[in-house]
Amino acid sequence: MTKNEIFEVRITGSTAEGYGVGHVDGFAVFVPLTAEGDFARVRIVKVKKQYAYGKLIELIEAAPDRCAPDCDCFSQCGGCAWRHISYEAECGVKYRRVADALGRIGGFSLKPMPIIGAEKTERYRNKAQYPVDQNGRFGFYAVHSHRVIPCGDCRLQPQIFSRIVAAVETWMRTYQIAPYDAVSHKGILRHLYIREGGATRELMVTLVCNAPTLTHAQPLIEVLKREVGNALKSIVLNVNRAKTNVILGETCKVLYGMDYITDILCGVRVRLSPLSFYQVNRDMAERLYQLAAQYACPAGRQVLDLYCGTGTIGLSMAKEAAFVTGVELIPAAVEDARQNAADNGIQNARFLCADAAEAAKQLALEGYRADVVLLDPPRKGCDEAVLQIVAGDFCPQRIVYVSCAPATLARDAARLRTLGYLLDEVTPVDLFPRTAHVECVALFIKENA
Ligand code: SAH
């Protein structure tokens, strides 16, 4: 197979990124913007050792699940993977991806429970981070690129976000605020970052700048107050002067209002600071955490919440649990978690700021034991040391693993099996309709318990 060769390919699967997968003489070809069931003419654009990338040039036979994409930016911006198939079909793809990862990577024959699909497939996000182009227009990056695609009114974000974007663009033009240029490391405004409390509708606008102060902040505050009204609770300057593609810097300065907004999740009031993690789909996060609680059976139990962020999962179980210990790496998130406990009158919880493996080692030295361990790591999954200490030292009856990456969940599930924990149930939950991401919650039970 060589570059520019053209083949007719039947698409029979999907990659984790949402590309269609077909085979030519047993060789896998990944083709963006195709769907399972398509029969397509494809030009090879890149050949690797084990697989190739192709570009769709003609659809000979369209998959039955296909529909017309309902967004002008689809196929350009890197946001949505699935606007060309029905939502039902998308859920099917996501379900098979989870089942496939468990089987292929983990060696499990367990079938996941039916996927919990989202009720809202549009405007479900509560957070957007918009990069800016050299013309001072905000948008999203094209796939695998730092080219900004202006996205108008993105259908995944609340409508108010587009009005804020437009207001900030006008302010930039009026006061000649220079957009940041990563090549020359010159210019001021790097990203516009907006967050909304899904239940409270409180709004936070953060400007990520390559400068310690912001000129013409006052007219910006006025224009945002006019545009957003009482919902505007916070405007923050985030200072990021580093030559990096990490979006946020470490320093935040309040320009207006509070340094956080509030949301309500599973009955718990939660503080959202610019730097702390919060699930982007609040409604489906509630479903996810309710299921996690159902799996955890926390009543009267010692609960350990590793990778706890602002403490949301553990705190949602604190009313029933005997005691909750949370562990989180980011200091601002730990402060939020402690404050969240206080704001909700929760006294049976503590939060440790540490790397999960380091905290686990320390807790093990202190003779700590847990009945239930909650794991909610980032995409790369759990440190092997964490799993060893959890299984070997804390010896919980139950481990509840919330995962945003089926592949690392499958890997960690296999590791837990060798450590004496059986995978009892896995449920995929769709927190990210139209994108390639899928979340899962898994229950592990101690063998011979
Ligand atoms: N459970 C929380 C957060 C989950 S996201 C919630 O549902 O909101 C994963 C969290 O793990 C992030 O807050 C991240 O800061 C934290 N994290 C990443 N690496 C870590 C590590 N090595 N040790 C502890 N926490 C870590």
Side-chain angles (χ1 to χ4, degrees):
M1 183 174 289
T2 51
K3 197 176 158 174
N4 288 326
E5 255 187 292
I6 291 177
F7 295 98
E8 288 179 359
V9 185
R10 174 73 67 185
I11 303 298
T12 54
S14 307
T15 69
E17 277 173 301
Y19 298 169
V21 183
H23 288 88
V24 174
D25 301 332
F27 201 75
V29 183
F30 303 153
V31 192
L33 304 171
T34 56
E36 291 176 32
D38 281 348
F39 188 56
R41 191 162 291 122
V42 167
R43 174 182 297 118
I44 301 302
V45 291
K46 199 185 222 172
V47 185
K48 301 272 207 182
K49 261 209 190 89
Q50 315 264 4
Y51 55 88
Y53 288 96
K55 186 174 178 328
L56 172 67
I57 49 174
E58 191 197 340
L59 209 52
I60 303 166
E61 201 184 300
D65 298 322
R66 269 199 176 255
C67 60
D70 51 3
C71 172
D72 293 341
C73 298
F74 177 63
S75 81
Q76 291 177 57
C77 102
C80 294
W82 307 115
R83 281 198 174 272
H84 58 310
I85 59 172
S86 68
Y87 182 56
E88 224 185 348
E90 175 188 332
C91 284
V93 172
K94 289 178 172 177
Y95 179 87
R96 289 192 293 280
R97 189 170 138 218
V98 173
D100 185 54
L102 288 175
R104 213 165 28 83
I105 300 168
F108 293 93
S109 53
L110 180 88
K111 263 181 65 181
M113 299 298 281
I115 183 167
I116 301 179
E119 270 156 45
K120 261 173 84 174
T121 56
E122 308 241 307
R123 309 211 179 272
Y124 61 82
R125 288 184 58 97
N126 56 31
K127 168 183 173 178
Q129 290 173 318
Y130 302 89
V132 64
D133 70 11
Q134 287 313 293
N135 301 316
R137 293 213 300 171
F138 294 99
F140 295 110
Y141 289 130
V143 192
H144 299 309
S145 144
H146 272 191
R147 192 161 47 88
V148 177
I149 310 286
C151 287
D153 183 30
C154 167
R155 303 172 84 119
L156 300 188
Q157 324 296 337
Q159 230 141 14
I160 182 81
F161 284 22
S162 339
R163 302 208 331 251
I164 294 171
V165 166
V168 176
E169 283 176 350
T170 307
W171 166 80
M172 281 180 78
R173 270 198 307 276
T174 311
Y175 296 96
Q176 297 182 350
I177 308 291
Y180 175 72
D181 173 20
V183 179
S184 64
H185 193 54
K186 294 220 166 70
I188 302 295
L189 195 51
R190 299 173 70 126
H191 273 83
L192 172 61
Y193 165 20
I194 312 174
R195 227 175 195 184
E196 185 185 45
T200 60
R201 299 280 166 230
E202 292 185 7
L203 266 150
M204 167 182 267
V205 178
T206 300
L207 292 106
V208 185
C209 292
N210 179 34
T213 55
L214 187 65
T215 54
H216 306 292
Q218 201 51 43
L220 174 71
I221 294 168
E222 295 312 320
V223 78
L224 287 176
K225 271 162 73 176
R226 250 197 328 273
E227 196 59 53
V228 182
N230 286 338
L232 183 68
K233 299 294 177 202
S234 167
I235 305 177
V236 173
L237 165 69
N238 176 268
V239 183
N240 186 357
R241 307 189 73 178
K243 281 187 184 165
T244 169
N245 53 19
V246 175
I247 296 176
L248 296 172
E250 280 167 21
T251 316
C252 291
K253 298 177 181 175
V254 177
L255 299 174
Y256 168 79
M258 315 286 284
D259 59 355
Y260 65 92
I261 54 170
T262 308
D263 200 12
I264 299 167
L265 190 71
C266 296
V268 177
R269 290 189 75 79
V270 291
R271 267 183 199 224
L272 316 180
S273 305
L275 299 179
S276 19
F277 174 91
Y278 187 58
Q279 288 284 4
V280 297
N281 183 342
R282 180 204 163 273
D283 295 358
M284 292 309 290
E286 269 197 340
R287 300 284 298 276
L288 180 75
Y289 295 171
Q290 281 159 1
L291 193 57
Q294 202 179 306
Y295 282 174
C297 301
R301 303 295 185 186
Q302 267 304 323
V303 176
L304 176 62
D305 184 3
L306 288 176
Y307 312 90
C308 72
T310 58
T312 40
I313 307 185
L315 290 174
S316 75
M317 300 182 192
K319 276 198 194 83
E320 285 185 79
F323 197 85
V324 175
T325 301
V327 173
E328 162 63 43
L329 191 61
I330 307 284
V334 176
E335 275 168 39
D336 280 352
R338 288 180 183 141
Q339 196 60 52
N340 288 340
D343 290 349
N344 289 279
I346 294 169
Q347 284 170 351
N348 58 334
R350 63 170 168 164
F351 294 93
L352 314 175
C353 185
D355 164 68
E358 292 304 317
K361 269 180 219 153
Q362 186 57 36
L363 286 165
L365 283 177
E366 293 165 12
Y368 176 82
R369 290 276 181 284
D371 303 307
V372 181
V373 174
L374 312 172
L375 301 169
D376 185 8
R379 245 170 255 182
K380 66 176 189 207
C382 291
D383 225 316
E384 197 160 4
V386 170
L387 299 178
Q388 274 161 4
I389 298 168
V390 164
D393 294 88
F394 303 157
C395 310
Q397 294 302 306
R398 287 165 182 258
I399 298 173
V400 178
Y401 192 133
V402 176
S403 162
C404 56
T408 53
L409 170 65
R411 178 202 67 196
D412 289 352
R415 285 178 179 165
L416 282 170
R417 184 178 48 208
T418 65
L419 294 165
Y421 283 81
L422 300 180
L423 180 58
D424 189 66
E425 196 168 300
V426 181
T427 305
V429 184
D430 191 19
L431 270 72
F432 313 104
R434 295 347 217 147
T435 79
H437 303 284
V438 61
E439 195 86 11
C440 286
V441 53
L443 170 63
F444 297 85
I445 293 186
K446 193 168 167 51
E447 213 172 358
N448 310 320

